Amino acid sequence: MLHLPKLIGHRGVKGLAPENTLASFKKAKELGFSWVEFDVMLTACGEAIVFHDPLLRRTTNGKGRVARKTYAELSKLDAGTWFNSEFVNEPIPTLQQTIQCLAQLGLQANIEIKPTRGTDIATAQKTLEIIHEYWPQQLAKPLISSFSQLSLATVYALDSSLPLAMLYNKLPRDWKKTAEAFNCVSINLNQKYVTLAQITQIKQTGRLVLAYTVNDSQRAELLLDWGVDAVFTDYPLPNFC
Ligand code: G3P
Ligand code: MG
C-alpha cells in the first residue's frame, strides 16, 4: 500500500510558483511537501515533457499546440515569467530532468499521463520508458494516474508493478470494473463532485481516494473526515503541512 501524506502539491506548488516547472518542485520541497503531482505530455518529436495545457499560451511566452512543437522549439520558451518576473526564463522541463530534480530533492511523485488527442498509447509508453531508465531506487515507485483508460491500460500491460490511479471528474457507474481491470490502488476524483457515499463505496473495495484540487483548509478537513486519503493542493494549507 502507498504511504501518502494528507497534502500533495499540485503541479509542484502551483499557487506559489509556475506550475510544472523545476522551480515549482523546489518550492514545494522548501514548503514541506513530500509528494507532488505533475502532468506529462508528448512533443511532436516524441519527447516526454512536464506540461498541463494542450496550448502554450497560458503558461509560456509561446503560441500554438504543444503536440505540434519539437522539444528543440519548446526548450527555448520561458515558462516562468507569466507567473512572476522572479521566475524569468524558467524552462519547460522534460520528464527526465524532472525525475533527476525529484531525486536530488528526495520528493515523491504522482505522475499524471496527460495525452493530447490520439497519443494515449505513445504518451504512456514514453513515460514508462523514462521511468524505467531514470526513476531512482531511493524514491518509492511513482503513483501513475490518468483520465485516459487507454493510457492506464498501456502502463498496466507493460509494467503491472507500478501503482495506478484512475482519474475522474465525476465518478462513472462502471468505475469498479475499470479499477479491477488495471488493479488500481486509488481513484482520484474532482473534489467539487465527490460525495461521502462514493468515498465509502470506493474505500470498501480497499482502494484509496484522492481529491483534486483543494485550496481551502476547511474543505480539506471535511474531505479527510469523509475518508479521502489525500488532497491535491496549490498551496501549503494552514494546519496541515
Ligand atoms: O491529478 C489531479 C489533477 O491534476 C487532475 O486535473 O487538470 O489539474 O491535471 P488537472
Ligand atoms: Mg494533473
Short mmCIF file of all heavy atoms in Angstrom, two decimals, residues 68-117:
data_model
loop_
_atom_site.label_atom_id
_atom_site.label_comp_id
_atom_site.label_asym_id
_atom_site.label_seq_id
_atom_site.Cartn_x
_atom_site.Cartn_y
_atom_site.Cartn_z
N ARG A 68 2.44 19.96 -31.50
CA ARG A 68 2.96 20.26 -32.85
C ARG A 68 4.37 20.83 -32.80
O ARG A 68 4.95 21.15 -33.84
CB ARG A 68 2.05 21.26 -33.56
CG ARG A 68 0.65 20.74 -33.77
CD ARG A 68 0.16 21.02 -35.18
NE ARG A 68 -1.18 20.50 -35.35
CZ ARG A 68 -2.28 21.24 -35.49
NH1 ARG A 68 -2.17 22.55 -35.53
NH2 ARG A 68 -3.45 20.69 -35.62
N LYS A 69 4.92 21.01 -31.61
CA LYS A 69 6.27 21.61 -31.48
C LYS A 69 7.28 20.53 -31.12
O LYS A 69 6.96 19.58 -30.39
CB LYS A 69 6.30 22.65 -30.36
CG LYS A 69 5.23 23.70 -30.44
CD LYS A 69 5.58 24.80 -31.40
CE LYS A 69 4.50 25.87 -31.40
NZ LYS A 69 4.59 26.81 -32.50
N THR A 70 8.49 20.73 -31.59
CA THR A 70 9.56 19.81 -31.19
C THR A 70 10.10 20.26 -29.83
O THR A 70 9.88 21.42 -29.42
CB THR A 70 10.73 19.86 -32.20
OG1 THR A 70 11.26 21.20 -32.17
CG2 THR A 70 10.29 19.48 -33.59
N TYR A 71 10.83 19.39 -29.18
CA TYR A 71 11.39 19.79 -27.89
C TYR A 71 12.41 20.92 -28.10
O TYR A 71 12.52 21.82 -27.26
CB TYR A 71 12.02 18.60 -27.16
CG TYR A 71 12.65 19.07 -25.88
CD1 TYR A 71 11.85 19.62 -24.87
CD2 TYR A 71 14.02 19.05 -25.69
CE1 TYR A 71 12.41 20.11 -23.71
CE2 TYR A 71 14.60 19.54 -24.53
CZ TYR A 71 13.79 20.07 -23.55
OH TYR A 71 14.34 20.57 -22.40
N ALA A 72 13.12 20.89 -29.24
CA ALA A 72 14.10 21.96 -29.52
C ALA A 72 13.39 23.32 -29.51
O ALA A 72 13.93 24.31 -28.98
CB ALA A 72 14.78 21.71 -30.85
N GLU A 73 12.19 23.37 -30.07
CA GLU A 73 11.43 24.64 -30.07
C GLU A 73 10.94 24.99 -28.66
O GLU A 73 11.06 26.13 -28.21
CB GLU A 73 10.22 24.53 -31.01
CG GLU A 73 10.60 24.45 -32.47
CD GLU A 73 9.41 24.09 -33.36
OE1 GLU A 73 8.72 23.08 -33.09
OE2 GLU A 73 9.19 24.82 -34.34
N LEU A 74 10.41 23.99 -27.97
CA LEU A 74 9.83 24.24 -26.65
C LEU A 74 10.89 24.63 -25.61
O LEU A 74 10.62 25.40 -24.70
CB LEU A 74 9.08 22.99 -26.17
CG LEU A 74 7.84 22.62 -26.99
CD1 LEU A 74 7.28 21.28 -26.52
CD2 LEU A 74 6.76 23.70 -26.87
N SER A 75 12.09 24.10 -25.80
CA SER A 75 13.14 24.33 -24.80
C SER A 75 13.59 25.80 -24.77
O SER A 75 14.22 26.24 -23.82
CB SER A 75 14.34 23.42 -25.05
OG SER A 75 14.91 23.76 -26.28
N LYS A 76 13.24 26.55 -25.83
CA LYS A 76 13.63 27.98 -25.88
C LYS A 76 12.60 28.87 -25.18
O LYS A 76 12.84 30.07 -25.00
CB LYS A 76 13.76 28.43 -27.34
CG LYS A 76 14.87 27.71 -28.09
CD LYS A 76 15.13 28.37 -29.45
CE LYS A 76 16.10 27.56 -30.27
NZ LYS A 76 15.43 26.54 -31.12
N LEU A 77 11.46 28.31 -24.82
CA LEU A 77 10.39 29.14 -24.25
C LEU A 77 10.60 29.45 -22.77
O LEU A 77 11.27 28.70 -22.06
CB LEU A 77 9.04 28.45 -24.44
CG LEU A 77 8.60 28.21 -25.88
CD1 LEU A 77 7.27 27.50 -25.91
CD2 LEU A 77 8.55 29.51 -26.67
N ASP A 78 9.97 30.52 -22.35
CA ASP A 78 10.00 30.95 -20.95
C ASP A 78 8.66 30.52 -20.31
O ASP A 78 7.60 31.02 -20.69
CB ASP A 78 10.17 32.47 -20.93
CG ASP A 78 10.12 33.08 -19.54
OD1 ASP A 78 9.62 32.41 -18.61
OD2 ASP A 78 10.55 34.23 -19.39
N ALA A 79 8.74 29.60 -19.38
CA ALA A 79 7.51 29.09 -18.72
C ALA A 79 7.37 29.65 -17.31
O ALA A 79 6.62 29.10 -16.50
CB ALA A 79 7.53 27.57 -18.70
N GLY A 80 8.11 30.76 -17.02
CA GLY A 80 8.09 31.30 -15.67
C GLY A 80 7.57 32.72 -15.55
O GLY A 80 6.87 33.05 -14.60
N THR A 81 7.91 33.56 -16.55
CA THR A 81 7.60 35.00 -16.42
C THR A 81 6.10 35.27 -16.34
O THR A 81 5.68 36.20 -15.66
CB THR A 81 8.24 35.78 -17.59
OG1 THR A 81 9.63 35.52 -17.56
CG2 THR A 81 8.01 37.27 -17.46
N TRP A 82 5.29 34.45 -17.03
CA TRP A 82 3.83 34.66 -16.98
C TRP A 82 3.33 34.66 -15.54
O TRP A 82 2.39 35.35 -15.20
CB TRP A 82 3.09 33.58 -17.78
CG TRP A 82 3.13 32.25 -17.09
CD1 TRP A 82 4.10 31.32 -17.18
CD2 TRP A 82 2.17 31.73 -16.16
NE1 TRP A 82 3.83 30.24 -16.38
CE2 TRP A 82 2.63 30.46 -15.75
CE3 TRP A 82 0.94 32.18 -15.65
CZ2 TRP A 82 1.94 29.66 -14.84
CZ3 TRP A 82 0.26 31.39 -14.74
CH2 TRP A 82 0.76 30.14 -14.35
N PHE A 83 4.04 33.89 -14.69
CA PHE A 83 3.61 33.74 -13.29
C PHE A 83 4.12 34.91 -12.46
O PHE A 83 3.37 35.52 -11.70
CB PHE A 83 4.13 32.41 -12.74
CG PHE A 83 3.66 32.12 -11.35
CD1 PHE A 83 2.42 31.54 -11.13
CD2 PHE A 83 4.44 32.47 -10.25
CE1 PHE A 83 1.96 31.31 -9.84
CE2 PHE A 83 3.99 32.24 -8.96
CZ PHE A 83 2.75 31.65 -8.76
N ASN A 84 5.42 35.19 -12.66
CA ASN A 84 6.06 36.24 -11.86
C ASN A 84 7.47 36.46 -12.43
O ASN A 84 8.15 35.48 -12.76
CB ASN A 84 6.15 35.72 -10.41
CG ASN A 84 6.69 36.73 -9.45
OD1 ASN A 84 7.63 37.46 -9.75
ND2 ASN A 84 6.08 36.78 -8.27
N SER A 85 7.91 37.72 -12.50
CA SER A 85 9.21 38.01 -13.12
C SER A 85 10.38 37.37 -12.34
O SER A 85 11.48 37.20 -12.88
CB SER A 85 9.43 39.51 -13.24
OG SER A 85 9.31 40.10 -11.98
N GLU A 86 10.12 36.97 -11.11
CA GLU A 86 11.13 36.25 -10.31
C GLU A 86 11.54 34.94 -11.00
O GLU A 86 12.62 34.42 -10.78
CB GLU A 86 10.46 35.94 -8.97
CG GLU A 86 11.29 35.28 -7.91
CD GLU A 86 10.37 34.72 -6.79
OE1 GLU A 86 9.29 35.30 -6.54
OE2 GLU A 86 10.75 33.71 -6.20
N PHE A 87 10.65 34.42 -11.84
CA PHE A 87 10.90 33.12 -12.47
C PHE A 87 11.26 33.24 -13.95
O PHE A 87 11.04 32.31 -14.73
CB PHE A 87 9.67 32.21 -12.30
CG PHE A 87 9.34 31.92 -10.86
CD1 PHE A 87 8.33 32.62 -10.21
CD2 PHE A 87 10.04 30.95 -10.16
CE1 PHE A 87 8.02 32.36 -8.88
CE2 PHE A 87 9.73 30.67 -8.82
CZ PHE A 87 8.73 31.38 -8.18
N VAL A 88 11.84 34.38 -14.33
CA VAL A 88 12.17 34.62 -15.74
C VAL A 88 13.06 33.49 -16.30
O VAL A 88 13.95 32.99 -15.61
CB VAL A 88 12.85 36.02 -15.91
CG1 VAL A 88 14.16 36.12 -15.17
CG2 VAL A 88 13.04 36.34 -17.38
N ASN A 89 12.71 33.07 -17.53
CA ASN A 89 13.47 32.04 -18.26
C ASN A 89 13.41 30.64 -17.64
O ASN A 89 14.22 29.79 -17.99
CB ASN A 89 14.93 32.44 -18.47
CG ASN A 89 15.04 33.53 -19.49
OD1 ASN A 89 14.19 33.61 -20.38
ND2 ASN A 89 16.04 34.37 -19.38
N GLU A 90 12.48 30.41 -16.76
CA GLU A 90 12.29 29.06 -16.22
C GLU A 90 11.80 28.18 -17.39
O GLU A 90 10.81 28.50 -18.03
CB GLU A 90 11.24 29.12 -15.10
CG GLU A 90 11.02 27.84 -14.35
CD GLU A 90 12.25 27.37 -13.55
OE1 GLU A 90 13.00 28.21 -13.05
OE2 GLU A 90 12.41 26.14 -13.47
N PRO A 91 12.52 27.10 -17.70
CA PRO A 91 12.13 26.32 -18.88
C PRO A 91 11.02 25.30 -18.62
O PRO A 91 10.73 24.97 -17.46
CB PRO A 91 13.43 25.59 -19.25
CG PRO A 91 14.17 25.47 -17.97
CD PRO A 91 13.76 26.63 -17.10
N ILE A 92 10.46 24.78 -19.70
CA ILE A 92 9.56 23.62 -19.61
C ILE A 92 10.47 22.41 -19.39
O ILE A 92 11.34 22.15 -20.22
CB ILE A 92 8.78 23.41 -20.94
CG1 ILE A 92 7.90 24.61 -21.26
CG2 ILE A 92 7.98 22.11 -20.90
CD1 ILE A 92 7.27 24.57 -22.65
N PRO A 93 10.31 21.67 -18.31
CA PRO A 93 11.22 20.55 -18.10
C PRO A 93 10.80 19.29 -18.84
O PRO A 93 9.60 19.07 -19.08
CB PRO A 93 11.13 20.32 -16.58
CG PRO A 93 9.80 20.83 -16.17
CD PRO A 93 9.39 21.88 -17.17
N THR A 94 11.77 18.47 -19.18
CA THR A 94 11.45 17.13 -19.69
C THR A 94 11.11 16.26 -18.48
O THR A 94 11.44 16.60 -17.34
CB THR A 94 12.65 16.50 -20.43
OG1 THR A 94 13.72 16.35 -19.49
CG2 THR A 94 13.09 17.32 -21.62
N LEU A 95 10.54 15.10 -18.76
CA LEU A 95 10.26 14.16 -17.66
C LEU A 95 11.57 13.69 -17.04
O LEU A 95 11.69 13.58 -15.82
CB LEU A 95 9.44 12.97 -18.18
CG LEU A 95 9.16 11.86 -17.17
CD1 LEU A 95 8.43 12.39 -15.93
CD2 LEU A 95 8.35 10.74 -17.82
N GLN A 96 12.54 13.47 -17.91
CA GLN A 96 13.85 13.01 -17.40
C GLN A 96 14.46 14.05 -16.43
O GLN A 96 14.90 13.71 -15.34
CB GLN A 96 14.79 12.76 -18.58
CG GLN A 96 16.15 12.26 -18.16
CD GLN A 96 17.12 12.21 -19.34
OE1 GLN A 96 16.70 12.07 -20.49
NE2 GLN A 96 18.39 12.32 -19.06
N GLN A 97 14.46 15.30 -16.83
CA GLN A 97 15.01 16.37 -15.96
C GLN A 97 14.21 16.46 -14.66
O GLN A 97 14.78 16.67 -13.58
CB GLN A 97 14.94 17.73 -16.67
CG GLN A 97 15.92 17.87 -17.82
CD GLN A 97 15.56 19.03 -18.75
OE1 GLN A 97 14.48 19.63 -18.65
NE2 GLN A 97 16.47 19.36 -19.65
N THR A 98 12.92 16.28 -14.77
CA THR A 98 12.06 16.35 -13.57
C THR A 98 12.41 15.22 -12.61
O THR A 98 12.53 15.44 -11.39
CB THR A 98 10.58 16.29 -13.99
OG1 THR A 98 10.33 17.42 -14.81
CG2 THR A 98 9.64 16.30 -12.80
N ILE A 99 12.58 14.02 -13.14
CA ILE A 99 12.91 12.88 -12.26
C ILE A 99 14.27 13.12 -11.59
O ILE A 99 14.43 12.85 -10.40
CB ILE A 99 12.90 11.56 -13.06
CG1 ILE A 99 11.46 11.22 -13.48
CG2 ILE A 99 13.52 10.41 -12.25
CD1 ILE A 99 11.32 10.01 -14.39
N GLN A 100 15.21 13.67 -12.34
CA GLN A 100 16.52 13.95 -11.74
C GLN A 100 16.39 15.00 -10.62
O GLN A 100 17.03 14.89 -9.58
CB GLN A 100 17.53 14.36 -12.82
CG GLN A 100 18.01 13.12 -13.56
CD GLN A 100 18.59 13.39 -14.95
OE1 GLN A 100 18.46 14.49 -15.50
NE2 GLN A 100 19.22 12.38 -15.54
N CYS A 101 15.54 15.98 -10.82
CA CYS A 101 15.30 17.01 -9.81
C CYS A 101 14.63 16.38 -8.57
O CYS A 101 15.03 16.65 -7.43
CB CYS A 101 14.43 18.10 -10.43
SG CYS A 101 13.90 19.36 -9.29
N LEU A 102 13.64 15.51 -8.79
CA LEU A 102 12.96 14.86 -7.66
C LEU A 102 13.95 14.02 -6.85
O LEU A 102 13.90 13.99 -5.62
CB LEU A 102 11.83 13.95 -8.15
CG LEU A 102 10.68 14.59 -8.91
CD1 LEU A 102 9.68 13.52 -9.36
CD2 LEU A 102 9.96 15.63 -8.06
N ALA A 103 14.86 13.35 -7.58
CA ALA A 103 15.86 12.50 -6.91
C ALA A 103 16.74 13.36 -6.01
O ALA A 103 17.00 13.01 -4.85
CB ALA A 103 16.69 11.77 -7.95
N GLN A 104 17.17 14.52 -6.53
CA GLN A 104 18.01 15.42 -5.72
C GLN A 104 17.26 15.95 -4.50
O GLN A 104 17.82 16.10 -3.43
CB GLN A 104 18.46 16.61 -6.56
CG GLN A 104 19.64 16.28 -7.45
CD GLN A 104 19.88 17.38 -8.51
OE1 GLN A 104 19.30 18.45 -8.43
NE2 GLN A 104 20.71 17.07 -9.48
N LEU A 105 15.98 16.22 -4.70
CA LEU A 105 15.19 16.81 -3.61
C LEU A 105 14.66 15.75 -2.64
O LEU A 105 14.22 16.08 -1.54
CB LEU A 105 14.00 17.59 -4.18
CG LEU A 105 14.32 18.80 -5.06
CD1 LEU A 105 13.04 19.31 -5.73
CD2 LEU A 105 14.95 19.91 -4.24
N GLY A 106 14.64 14.50 -3.09
CA GLY A 106 14.02 13.44 -2.27
C GLY A 106 12.51 13.62 -2.20
O GLY A 106 11.90 13.46 -1.16
N LEU A 107 11.93 13.99 -3.35
CA LEU A 107 10.50 14.29 -3.42
C LEU A 107 9.78 13.16 -4.17
O LEU A 107 10.21 12.78 -5.26
CB LEU A 107 10.35 15.62 -4.18
CG LEU A 107 9.11 16.47 -4.06
CD1 LEU A 107 8.71 16.75 -2.63
CD2 LEU A 107 9.35 17.79 -4.80
N GLN A 108 8.70 12.63 -3.59
CA GLN A 108 7.93 11.55 -4.23
C GLN A 108 6.90 12.15 -5.18
O GLN A 108 6.55 13.32 -5.04
CB GLN A 108 7.18 10.75 -3.16
CG GLN A 108 7.96 10.39 -1.93
CD GLN A 108 8.80 9.14 -2.13
OE1 GLN A 108 8.67 8.41 -3.10
NE2 GLN A 108 9.70 8.90 -1.21
N ALA A 109 6.39 11.30 -6.09
CA ALA A 109 5.51 11.89 -7.10
C ALA A 109 4.36 11.03 -7.55
O ALA A 109 4.43 9.82 -7.59
CB ALA A 109 6.34 12.27 -8.33
N ASN A 110 3.30 11.76 -7.92
CA ASN A 110 2.19 11.21 -8.70
C ASN A 110 2.36 11.76 -10.12
O ASN A 110 2.29 12.98 -10.32
CB ASN A 110 0.87 11.66 -8.09
CG ASN A 110 -0.35 11.37 -8.96
OD1 ASN A 110 -1.40 11.98 -8.78
ND2 ASN A 110 -0.25 10.44 -9.90
N ILE A 111 2.62 10.87 -11.05
CA ILE A 111 2.81 11.28 -12.45
C ILE A 111 1.49 11.09 -13.18
O ILE A 111 1.01 9.97 -13.31
CB ILE A 111 3.92 10.44 -13.12
CG1 ILE A 111 5.24 10.60 -12.34
CG2 ILE A 111 4.07 10.82 -14.59
CD1 ILE A 111 6.41 9.84 -12.94
N GLU A 112 0.92 12.21 -13.63
CA GLU A 112 -0.32 12.11 -14.41
C GLU A 112 0.02 12.09 -15.89
O GLU A 112 0.63 13.03 -16.41
CB GLU A 112 -1.25 13.29 -14.10
CG GLU A 112 -2.56 13.14 -14.88
CD GLU A 112 -3.47 14.34 -14.87
OE1 GLU A 112 -3.39 15.18 -13.93
OE2 GLU A 112 -4.26 14.46 -15.81
N ILE A 113 -0.39 11.02 -16.56
CA ILE A 113 -0.20 10.94 -18.02
C ILE A 113 -1.32 11.74 -18.67
O ILE A 113 -2.50 11.47 -18.45
CB ILE A 113 -0.19 9.47 -18.49
CG1 ILE A 113 0.94 8.70 -17.79
CG2 ILE A 113 -0.05 9.39 -20.01
CD1 ILE A 113 0.95 7.21 -18.09
N LYS A 114 -0.94 12.73 -19.44
CA LYS A 114 -1.90 13.70 -19.99
C LYS A 114 -1.80 13.68 -21.51
O LYS A 114 -1.22 14.59 -22.11
CB LYS A 114 -1.51 15.07 -19.44
CG LYS A 114 -2.46 16.19 -19.56
CD LYS A 114 -3.56 16.08 -18.58
CE LYS A 114 -3.97 17.30 -17.86
NZ LYS A 114 -5.02 16.97 -16.87
N PRO A 115 -2.33 12.66 -22.17
CA PRO A 115 -2.15 12.59 -23.63
C PRO A 115 -2.96 13.66 -24.35
O PRO A 115 -4.07 13.98 -23.92
CB PRO A 115 -2.68 11.20 -23.97
CG PRO A 115 -3.63 10.86 -22.88
CD PRO A 115 -3.12 11.54 -21.64
N THR A 116 -2.39 14.18 -25.43
CA THR A 116 -3.20 15.00 -26.32
C THR A 116 -3.88 14.01 -27.27
O THR A 116 -3.56 12.82 -27.27
CB THR A 116 -2.33 16.01 -27.11
OG1 THR A 116 -1.24 15.29 -27.71
CG2 THR A 116 -1.78 17.08 -26.20
N ARG A 117 -4.83 14.50 -28.09
CA ARG A 117 -5.66 13.60 -28.89
C ARG A 117 -4.83 12.58 -29.70
O ARG A 117 -3.91 12.96 -30.42
CB ARG A 117 -6.50 14.44 -29.86
CG ARG A 117 -7.57 13.64 -30.54
CD ARG A 117 -8.31 14.49 -31.50
NE ARG A 117 -9.02 15.56 -30.77
CZ ARG A 117 -10.22 16.00 -31.12
NH1 ARG A 117 -10.81 15.51 -32.17
NH2 ARG A 117 -10.79 16.97 -30.44
#
